[in-house]
Amino acid sequence: MAQRGNAQGRRRQAHGAGVAPKDADTEYDLIVLGSGAAGSSAATTAAQAGRRVALIERGVLGGTCLNYGCDPTKTLLHTARLFTQARQADRYGLRIPTASADWSAVVARAQQVITRMRGGNPAQAARALRTQGVTVFHGEAQFVAPDAVEVNGTRLRGANIMIATGAENIIPPIEGLREAGYITNIEAVTLPALPQRLAIIGGGANGIEFAQIFTRFGVAVTLLERSNAVLDTEDQELACMLVEQLRADGVRIETQAEVRRVEAISEGKRLTIQCADRREEALDVDQVLLALGRKPALDGLGLDAAGVVYDEHGVQVDATLRTNVAHIWAAGDALGRYQFTHVASAQGELAARNAFAEQRQPFDERVIPWAIFTEPELARVGRTEEQLRQQGQTFRVLRVSFEDVERAIITGQTAGEVKLLTDQDGAVLGCHILAVNAGELIAPVVLALRAGLPAQALGDLLLPYPTMAEAVRNAARGA
């Protein structure tokens, strides 16, 4: 997601490496708005096909996932996991006298990971894009006509234009919140020092991941979720098992929790909360982290000038990712559908191909997996039990607990299970895995769903012994 900056910052960025000079030709085959997963994949796909491409970014190249989201949080989660293992080494017969964490060094390593994945600092990344045939402009982009956008006073015209501006954090209208101050994922991954007490508002995937990161580094974390359950779109049985793990880590989790107001106090911030039908209580913390989800970042784009149809849910597109304006496309979080990096990247690539294709292809959204990268991880593909019941679908639940998997016993990572859902004929309807590295373990089920393979095909697999993947095979054998 691109981020707004002040006018002075825009002028300074406009003279950075990789930015086209004022007298450059402003006609492009494709203009891409946003350099996140969707935008960068669209730009490089078109450039590799020999098209003239302009990429406009108002923030840091790489967008949210690279700079403030997936990559830094997963790096921090991995470090937190190693830290926890070091402190629990006694269970393996190891004697580690002390295990301590240097938070500034932890954050520094996360930033090093980002730099490596980007291909260097932002200026180096811009130069790398330029060598691939992509001209980078830093600044605010705004449509001034259906085929033209303006950035830093320069008007660019495109035969095709791609909207890939990502999403931005939802800020709730809580009394006193803005005055007292808060942070989002953007600040959380680069905090200069750890707070002693942290309130996280929002019990979705982001809130859950940050809760585990900070509690494992010694922060007293309270997670507040307004609905009846955290992770309420996931398999509820496995989500509850994950919640118990987080509570064992030390996270206080409150559902049906409403934050009435926030005020600054001398020792930090005071939240007035009401949990379920209990009386109001005061919660004093050092910092408040918002994790309430994200909305498409479309403000200031001038979509009305382009005639593009959109609403509060995002840009409206057809199955081929084309908007109502024939030469304007959209992909990724700007659509407001699946806010996943892997989906955004695939959509960006497809939209760039469709922009120049005689026969456009639809985006295939039948099989979309995702994972929550806590320890243990919670991975999913297909439908949940709750969804199948609502749809009146008859189904079977095939289970294997990792308590019964030899590899898990060897490593001491027995928390969780595989739940494979099939119909009466053995067709796979969904799969949910709670386990260490569940994001990897879900892969064969993704393939089975994609290829239309029955559960029996998974059950017939010959796998190395001992491996965690045997749990998936053994569950499928129940079909």
Side-chain angles (χ1 to χ4, degrees):
M1 178 190 73
Q3 293 186 354
R4 295 175 178 81
N6 58 36
Q8 180 181 3
R10 293 181 211 146
R11 286 194 296 270
R12 184 169 57 249
Q13 289 176 319
H15 294 89
V19 179
K22 293 285 186 180
D23 57 353
D25 186 351
T26 58
E27 299 286 339
Y28 292 91
D29 299 316
L30 177 66
I31 299 173
V32 181
L33 312 183
S35 69
S40 59
S41 68
T44 54
T45 296
Q48 288 167 2
R51 308 293 180 175
R52 278 202 89 216
V53 180
L55 178 65
I56 304 174
E57 173 57 61
R58 66 184 177 190
V60 182
L61 281 173
T64 294
C65 181
L66 176 62
N67 295 293
Y68 318 111
C70 316
D71 300 321
T73 56
K74 278 47 176 182
T75 304
L76 294 174
L77 280 162
H78 177 69
T79 305
R81 177 177 169 183
L82 294 177
F83 187 32
T84 300
Q85 289 176 337
R87 289 182 295 175
Q88 297 175 349
D90 281 358
R91 62 191 288 207
Y92 298 99
L94 302 177
R95 301 293 179 262
I96 300 177
T98 60
S100 59
D102 180 343
W103 176 251
S104 61
V106 169
V107 170
R109 181 183 180 271
Q111 294 304 303
Q112 291 169 0
V113 169
I114 292 170
T115 299
R116 177 174 178 179
M117 295 177 74
R118 186 193 294 117
N121 61 39
Q124 291 170 324
R127 285 195 292 270
L129 284 168
R130 187 172 58 193
T131 63
Q132 297 179 59
V134 178
T135 303
V136 178
F137 292 83
H138 288 287
E140 295 274 359
Q142 184 177 38
F143 279 97
V144 292
D147 66 340
V149 297
E150 191 171 282
V151 56
N152 299 325
T154 298
R155 181 169 295 198
L156 311 179
R157 292 195 177 274
N160 290 278
I161 300 176
M162 170 88 67
I163 302 167
T165 47
E168 57 192 4
N169 284 295
I170 294 172
I171 310 301
I174 298 173
E175 179 185 340
L177 176 64
R178 292 182 183 273
E179 293 78 7
Y182 58 86
I183 62 173
T184 66
N185 61 296
I186 294 173
E187 296 82 17
V189 297
T190 56
L191 279 177
L194 286 169
Q196 291 184 328
R197 305 159 300 172
L198 175 67
I200 299 177
I201 303 178
N206 288 339
I208 289 291
E209 290 183 355
F210 275 117
Q212 188 168 75
I213 289 170
F214 285 111
T215 196
R216 287 190 164 189
F217 281 109
V219 179
V221 176
T222 300
L223 186 140
L224 304 168
E225 169 55 43
R226 190 168 187 174
S227 69
N228 294 327
V230 300
L231 302 175
D232 55 5
T233 62
E234 303 301 322
D235 177 273
Q236 283 305 287
E237 184 181 10
L238 297 190
C240 287
M241 293 171 66
L242 178 55
V243 164
E244 290 309 308
Q245 175 60 56
L246 292 170
R247 285 185 169 135
D249 281 348
V251 181
R252 175 190 174 186
I253 298 177
E254 295 287 353
T255 57
Q256 294 181 281
E258 182 178 351
V259 181
R260 297 290 178 83
R261 57 188 170 274
V262 182
E263 58 185 311
I265 59 176
S266 58
E267 299 83 11
K269 309 174 198 300
R270 175 165 294 164
L271 285 68
T272 300
I273 63 175
Q274 183 171 16
C275 303
D277 56 358
R278 305 202 302 265
R279 299 175 63 179
E280 283 187 356
E281 67 173 285
L283 175 65
D284 291 352
V285 297
D286 301 299
Q287 192 56 268
V288 176
L289 171 59
L290 299 183
L292 287 164
R294 299 167 65 77
K295 62 180 181 179
L298 305 177
D299 292 346
L301 282 178
L303 293 180
D304 293 332
V308 172
V309 174
Y310 67 99
D311 58 23
E312 67 274 14
H313 302 296
V315 178
Q316 296 183 19
V317 295
D318 65 15
T320 69
L321 305 174
R322 192 183 203 178
T323 72
N324 62 297
V325 181
H327 65 281
I328 300 179
W329 309 78
D333 291 1
L335 303 182
R337 296 181 183 176
Y338 304 100
Q339 294 186 349
F340 303 118
T341 298
H342 49 292
V343 173
S345 180
Q347 287 180 336
E349 181 179 348
L350 176 64
R353 293 202 308 266
N354 280 342
F356 305 102
E358 291 185 8
Q359 287 195 325
R360 299 184 299 276
Q361 300 298 314
F363 176 67
D364 187 351
E365 56 184 46
R366 293 173 300 166
V367 182
I368 295 180
W370 61 84
I372 299 165
F373 292 92
T374 47
E375 184 188 11
E377 296 175 2
L378 180 56
R380 166 187 177 175
V381 66
R383 288 172 283 176
T384 65
E385 286 189 73
E386 293 79 10
Q387 289 173 327
L388 292 171
R389 290 192 187 98
Q390 290 171 3
Q391 296 164 3
Q393 170 80 52
T394 301
F395 64 94
R396 301 171 62 192
V397 181
L398 310 175
R399 304 171 181 270
V400 168
S401 169
F402 283 95
E403 292 279 358
D404 302 320
V405 176
E406 287 86 345
R407 178 69 177 197
I409 295 170
I410 289 168
T411 61
Q413 297 169 322
T414 55
E417 67 176 49
V418 173
K419 286 181 66 175
L420 185 64
L421 309 178
T422 73
D423 66 13
Q424 296 303 310
D425 297 323
V428 178
L429 302 174
C431 184
H432 307 267
I433 304 176
L434 181 68
V436 171
N437 297 327
E440 277 79 23
L441 297 179
I442 201 78
V445 189
V446 175
L447 176 60
L449 272 170
R450 180 86 177 185
L453 300 175
Q456 181 182 342
L458 293 171
D460 289 341
L461 290 174
L462 180 63
L463 297 174
Y465 173 88
T467 58
M468 296 286 278
E470 290 177 279
V472 178
R473 180 199 62 193
N474 295 345
R477 283 181 173 175

